[in-house]
Amino acid sequence: MAESTSMRLRLPLICIILEVILIILFGLLVEYNDDTHAKLWNANKTHSATRNDYENEFYYRYPSFQDVHVMIFVGFGFLMTFLQRYGFSSVGFNFLIAAFSLQWATLMQGFFHGLHHGKIHVGVTSMINADFCTGSVLISFGAVLGKTSPVQLLVMAIFEVTLFAINEFILVSLLGANDAGGSMTIHTFGAYFGLVVTRVLYRPNLDKSKHRNSSVYHSDLFAMIGTIYLWMFWPSFNSAITNYGDPQHRTAMNTYYSLAACTLATFAFSALVNPEGKLDMVHIQNAALAGGVAVGTAGEMMLTAFGSMIVGFLAGTISVLGYKYLTPVLESKLKIQDTCGIHNLHGMPGVLGAVVGAVTAALASPEEYGQGLQKVFGDVKTGDWDPQSKGGFQAISLAVTLGMALFGGLLTGFILKLPIYGAPPDTHCFEDGLYWEVPGEEEGHNELNEVATPNEMEKLSS
Amino acid sequence: MAESTSMRLRLPLICIILEVILIILFGLLVEYNDDTHAKLWNANKTHSATRNDYENEFYYRYPSFQDVHVMIFVGFGFLMTFLQRYGFSSVGFNFLIAAFSLQWATLMQGFFHGLHHGKIHVGVTSMINADFCTGSVLISFGAVLGKTSPVQLLVMAIFEVTLFAINEFILVSLLGANDAGGSMTIHTFGAYFGLVVTRVLYRPNLDKSKHRNSSVYHSDLFAMIGTIYLWMFWPSFNSAITNYGDPQHRTAMNTYYSLAACTLATFAFSALVNPEGKLDMVHIQNAALAGGVAVGTAGEMMLTAFGSMIVGFLAGTISVLGYKYLTPVLESKLKIQDTCGIHNLHGMPGVLGAVVGAVTAALASPEEYGQGLQKVFGDVKTGDWDPQSKGGFQAISLAVTLGMALFGGLLTGFILKLPIYGAPPDTHCFEDGLYWEVPGEEEGHNELNEVATPNEMEKLSS
Amino acid sequence: MAESTSMRLRLPLICIILEVILIILFGLLVEYNDDTHAKLWNANKTHSATRNDYENEFYYRYPSFQDVHVMIFVGFGFLMTFLQRYGFSSVGFNFLIAAFSLQWATLMQGFFHGLHHGKIHVGVTSMINADFCTGSVLISFGAVLGKTSPVQLLVMAIFEVTLFAINEFILVSLLGANDAGGSMTIHTFGAYFGLVVTRVLYRPNLDKSKHRNSSVYHSDLFAMIGTIYLWMFWPSFNSAITNYGDPQHRTAMNTYYSLAACTLATFAFSALVNPEGKLDMVHIQNAALAGGVAVGTAGEMMLTAFGSMIVGFLAGTISVLGYKYLTPVLESKLKIQDTCGIHNLHGMPGVLGAVVGAVTAALASPEEYGQGLQKVFGDVKTGDWDPQSKGGFQAISLAVTLGMALFGGLLTGFILKLPIYGAPPDTHCFEDGLYWEVPGEEEGHNELNEVATPNEMEKLSS
């Protein structure tokens, strides 16, 4: 008899314990920052009160935050609803682990980014950073989608958020790396972390659930909601925490052009690799986004629209080819079961983005950037500016990220392998009915019921 | 033979008459305010033209307005599409009554908030306030969903908007209450108003439509679109009309933390109250939002992230427990048929929010707020500041709101009971086909057709 | 045997060639503008660095841009998913041609709007303008929806974008026309261009695909996502490129009131024209938006809320009546097969908007606008201000637009008629399966499979 999959006690227990710990730690450690604190903000202001209130960072970061927020909850959540029978879990578990991760990330990032007299200061920038870290967890979720219980996902989030914060600290604070849009910290890290986790959790008998590991007509349309929102708001994502002024403006625009070129590459190669020339929804839903990933590091630099479009075109191309030719090999040879193909959307394009970032940084010159140089490369201020060594540090950052992801994924994978989380059996992967009250079925879904009858379900849950 | 449900004349008549009245009243009473009037804005500006145009309130309120607008039309509209056969009506009637209410609210709120030489001045702030008032009507719509004709809903909106404006006037202008996010004015008022209306409209034979009063797989996914948008943009909702600077920033952040904690509580208790430990979509769709409602009053105060998370956790908990244990009792004992469970999402969390607001206000001190005190509590300026009496006035505001909602709901309910609006018969509640041309069916819906054949429909409509 | 519809070579070829041309032209011609260039932005700034970064146009245009972007990709994309079996193509081809058009439009508009030393300068304003031009192409797409291959659509976009840019140049630069929201340049042009194209592509045997040219229950709900997003963000659309300050604020508000009034008219007349008084989703999805189109020219003027509501009410009315009475006649008498009814949503309301704009301009006076006059009508600055001749130029602009649309549509239509693009045969219009890998079907779709069996499909694609 298989392990029970009931969430009756497991899920409430972990949710309540985690939230209580979070609340206690927030009570001990978290304070309003200068822009959100009634006393500090108004004390810091000079004479002209009205004018100064308009300068609160809220007005320059919050619209970007909301766009990022939409990507995290609608973008990632709906992108994963493509599976025919896993929509509740996709959008629901995405919701749960994101809500947890953003709280936990606030603490971890606050701790590593620098305490103020032992306290973590929060405001809209910390909210964006927490959402970014959450994005990384959701990328990894894509690799294990359909094969994990919500308790496993929460445990994964605990570790991944922590390691994300450490990696981000090493890159940004120690190595002085540029990575505003997170090609390395978010995409490369999240992708390879998730791939290692799913490798450790390899299920040799997953084909027992194969018939559910595909889409139906309307589930593909729901997934397109996620795709389009990610695509539209990616310029906001990459530019959300750059410096004010030209860098933020430029980043958004570079991303816009990269994505547009990527989309044409995606349609081109999707038709080309299909024997009948038919487009594949999997490619459109995913590969068209690779252009956003691939300018996550270089987007704030003087990459130019021209450069952005080349990068985007390349990203779309390798992403489609990855779905077509690499993913099946990863599964059959390396035993990496990557449900959403995150290697193609976040892994390879993330590495590409890191490389593009290193090269673009190595080519940066005071002639080209003028006084804007130090707004992009903070090192200029400290007199440490040397484009080639900067490029080198960017490359080292990629290596560190890959190392952290592999090590972290391995560690986390083995922890998730413990038979205590109520993971789904091989026969019931990609199936909402295991963890959700599924409403009386439409006739169109009858064939699924035959696979998992209420009786079987009951046995599993008891 | 039952009353005809045809909308052939009823709906055009009421829509056209209402819109003509609105247009006439707008022509007589409404003027551009200083920020939207070509002459006034440019006359008020001093020398440096460019600089000043950037200070137009448009740039500091409009992004919040758009987020609120999305909540009203997509959030509420899609949240209610969970019913298997009422999606057209949910999103369509939501659209209709919102479009009417925001116009009517502009007039009513303009009248009570203070005329300028007999004229109502409009701009982005009045647009946000009108959307807020509309939100209250849509909350009440949730209680009567599936059991009312669009004409009834418009009549309900006429009365509810009017009483909302009066209640808001008493609270904000007479009692000087704080309620930026509307825990009292919007949520408590809308919920108890709607609950009384549905009580008056009690249908003893509603179980004749019981088989349609539930979701199907894809309708639950559509509803999640509504949920997630409401959840994401709630920080904008609560902060949309606070004072500029730290209060707006702080409100958004407090709401963000409250919602995150609420979500973990919702998942925990949803699994806990289910015998098999399965999650219930009704809880996730609704209770996870209670955290936004519950910080609607205190959100702009120095509630801290810690306090916000405690409030959010409580709100999620009582909301799930309400769905599980209270809603059935309300229906069986008190004859309150609350289709969407607004008592759990808006009623109890709204009251909780009012209480939290009163307590937080009573604890506010100049030491904690510094010069920011008067930006939150306007009374400071007039020298009336006394935290404890402030707390008392907040509590009185809750009582007034409950009184107005009960009285208003009773009055409106009896008006809606008149047999002239083409309300659906007990056998055809929760059914789009009564008021909409429903397209040729997918096979999956055949069982529904058996319930309401074209013939029957024709008879009803004739 | 019919022409092959395979996209195996055609689509990759055109996508890759176009993107390579775009990349080369961008490399040769496109440069960052003053607000996005690291050197220029920081050189132009004066002392107080922090303050000035806040004045980057990014912060005053980008939120509007994102709203417009949502309308282009989600709004148009999902609005067209109403067809039962064409959702992939609707949202997918919309995605493809929009991604192409915004790049091509950047070049064409940059060329006609004025080069800077032979270079095109780009920033957030050019991004908005490119999205606007793209909107025009997507309007035309609505007329030919379901009857064209993606290659045809890309070819259409090449020509339409080019002619759009020329027409816009004539109107804005030569005639000095006001048209911030594009009643003429976007809606009238896109609609009549598309109608002429579909006329040239007339299919006498289209009724062979008639059974697929309609909606199903859930496809109508997906379409409502598009509708509601278009409706909500239309105030941002019309105001996105107006001058800063009062004009932008006023435009957004006028559009808001116009749309609200339009919605009530739409519901009224939809019920009135139906024998049983039932509402028709086609009207709600489309006609409720006509109010946004109809204030696209006059929205920035002192139209007043009162005037906006009258215009919106009229627009909704003629749009519903157009769907009911005119569209069938256009098809039977004039052989114009207008899949989405763009004549009712964009054509007639666009012309109405042009006329309202001309009249409102002719009535504008310095008494009413004060110093704000020249912010709306730039001609004031040059001393050319004469309201009546201004009104005349607005009227001439409409005539020019209609001429350009008819001529351009005719030319483009004949080019699209060439039998080389893999257009669908009459028996397989409105069918995703021709160009997409469609997933294993839900039972509800079986009847569709009977129409187009895999065998038939294979034959067509070979």
Side-chain angles (χ1 to χ4, degrees), chain A residues 55 217 229 232-233 236 245-246 248-250 254 267 272 274 278-279 304 306 309 367 371-372 375, chain C residues 8 23 32 36 38-39 41-42 51 53 56 59 62 66 85-87 103 124 229 432-433 435 437:
Chain A
E55 291 180 15
Y217 194 71
Y229 271 99
M232 293 186 304
F233 288 163
S236 304
D246 61 294
Q248 191 165 11
H249 196 163
R250 186 168 58 242
N254 286 339
F267 276 84
L272 193 62
N274 182 287
K278 291 189 182 182
L279 296 161
T304 75
F306 168 72
M309 288 158 73
E367 289 70 42
Q371 293 176 309
K375 273 161 80 179
Chain C
R8 182 81 195 268
I23 289 175
Y32 291 125
T36 46
K39 191 173 192 170
W41 171 253
N42 292 285
R51 175 74 255 130
D53 277 338
N56 194 293
Y59 303 104
Y62 188 73
Q66 274 298 359
R85 251 328 241 200
Y86 208 63
Q103 297 176 77
V124 66
Y229 271 100
D432 275 336
Y435 302 120
E437 285 288 348

Side-chain angles (χ1 to χ4, degrees), chain B residues 167 188-194 196 400-410:
Chain B
N167 185 54
T188 304
F189 180 80
Y192 290 96
F193 186 100
V196 175
V400 170
T401 301
L402 287 169
M404 290 288 294
L406 299 177
F407 159 78
L410 214 59

Side-chain angles (χ1 to χ4, degrees), chain C residues 70-94:
Chain C
V70 171
M71 293 174 71
I72 296 298
F73 287 88
V74 164
F76 281 104
F78 278 89
L79 182 60
M80 296 191 273
T81 58
F82 73 98
L83 291 170
Q84 56 186 275
R85 251 328 241 200
Y86 208 63
F88 289 12
S89 305
S90 296
V91 73
F93 295 164
N94 187 83

Side-chain angles (χ1 to χ4, degrees), chain B residues 22-38:
Chain B
L22 284 168
I23 289 175
I24 293 171
L25 290 176
F26 266 74
L28 294 173
L29 293 173
V30 172
E31 281 182 353
Y32 291 125
N33 72 3
D34 284 9
D35 285 57
T36 45
H37 195 293

Side-chain angles (χ1 to χ4, degrees), chain B residues 6-8 11-12 15-16 19 22-23 26-27 30 32 35-39 41-43 45 51 53-54 56-60 62 65-66 69-70 73-74 78 84-88 91-93 95-96 99-100 102-103 106 122-124 127 130-131 218 222 225 229 432-440 442-443 445 457-458 461, chain C residues 51 55 60 63-64 67 215-218 220-222 224-225 227-229 231-233 235-236 239 243-246 248-250 252-254 256-257 260-261 263-264 267-269 271-281 284 288 301-306 309-310 313 366-372 375 442-447:
Chain B
S6 171
M7 290 291 121
R8 182 80 196 267
L11 187 61
C15 284
I16 293 171
E19 192 59 47
L22 284 168
I23 289 175
F26 266 74
V30 172
Y32 291 125
D35 285 57
T36 45
H37 195 293
K39 191 173 191 173
W41 171 253
N42 291 286
K45 288 197 316 176
R51 174 74 255 128
D53 276 338
Y54 289 174
N56 194 293
E57 67 171 348
F58 179 80
Y59 302 105
Y60 302 89
Y62 187 75
F65 162 72
Q66 273 298 359
H69 217 40
V70 171
F73 287 89
V74 164
F78 278 89
Q84 57 185 272
R85 251 328 241 198
Y86 208 64
F88 288 13
V91 73
F93 296 163
F95 190 18
L96 172 64
F100 164 70
L102 64 87
Q103 297 176 77
T106 303
V122 291
V124 67
M127 289 160 69
D131 268 33
H218 279 154
F222 278 112
I225 297 175
Y229 271 100
D432 274 337
L434 212 54
Y435 302 120
W436 295 85
E437 286 287 349
V438 176
E442 293 176 283
E443 284 184 14
H445 287 119
M457 285 290 173
E458 214 169 288
S461 311
Chain C
R51 175 74 255 130
E55 291 180 14
Y60 302 90
S64 304
D67 290 352
S215 64
V216 292
Y217 194 71
H218 280 155
D220 266 329
L221 276 179
F222 278 112
M224 278 303 282
I225 297 174
T227 298
I228 299 285
Y229 271 100
W231 195 92
M232 294 185 303
F233 289 164
S236 304
S239 67
N243 276 322
Y244 292 135
D246 61 293
Q248 191 165 11
H249 196 163
R250 186 168 57 243
M253 191 166 64
N254 286 339
Y256 168 86
Y257 286 123
T263 303
L264 267 83
F267 275 84
F269 285 92
L272 193 62
V273 301
N274 183 287
E276 299 176 75
K278 291 189 182 181
L279 295 162
D280 189 329
M281 261 292 171
I284 309 306
M301 305 176 194
M302 290 289 285
L303 183 60
T304 74
F306 168 72
M309 289 157 73
I310 293 175
F313 193 84
E367 289 70 41
E368 194 184 5
Y369 288 72
Q371 292 175 309
K375 273 162 78 182
E442 293 175 284
E443 287 185 13
H445 288 118
N446 277 357
E447 82 269 32

Side-chain angles (χ1 to χ4, degrees), chain B residues 246-279:
Chain B
D246 61 294
Q248 190 165 11
H249 196 164
R250 186 167 58 243
T251 310
M253 192 167 63
N254 286 339
T255 308
Y256 168 85
Y257 286 123
S258 176
L259 285 163
C262 179
T263 302
L264 267 82
T266 300
F267 275 83
F269 286 92
S270 183
L272 192 61
V273 300
N274 183 287
E276 301 176 75
K278 292 189 181 180
L279 295 162

Side-chain angles (χ1 to χ4, degrees), chain C residues 285-367:
Chain C
Q285 284 160 3
N286 293 280
L289 301 168
V293 175
V295 295
T297 302
E300 64 177 325
M301 305 176 194
M302 290 289 285
L303 183 60
T304 74
F306 168 72
S308 305
M309 289 157 73
I310 293 175
V311 174
F313 193 84
L314 273 176
T317 305
I318 62 171
S319 190
V320 172
L321 298 178
Y323 274 101
K324 182 72 182 182
Y325 302 111
L326 195 54
T327 294
V329 175
L330 287 184
E331 176 151 3
S332 60
K333 304 288 179 200
L334 299 185
K335 300 184 175 175
I336 296 172
Q337 293 160 327
D338 177 6
T339 310
C340 294
I342 62 165
H343 188 244
N344 311 303
L345 169 48
H346 301 279
M348 292 188 295
V351 172
L352 172 64
V355 172
V356 170
V359 172
T360 314
L363 296 173
S365 71
E367 289 70 41

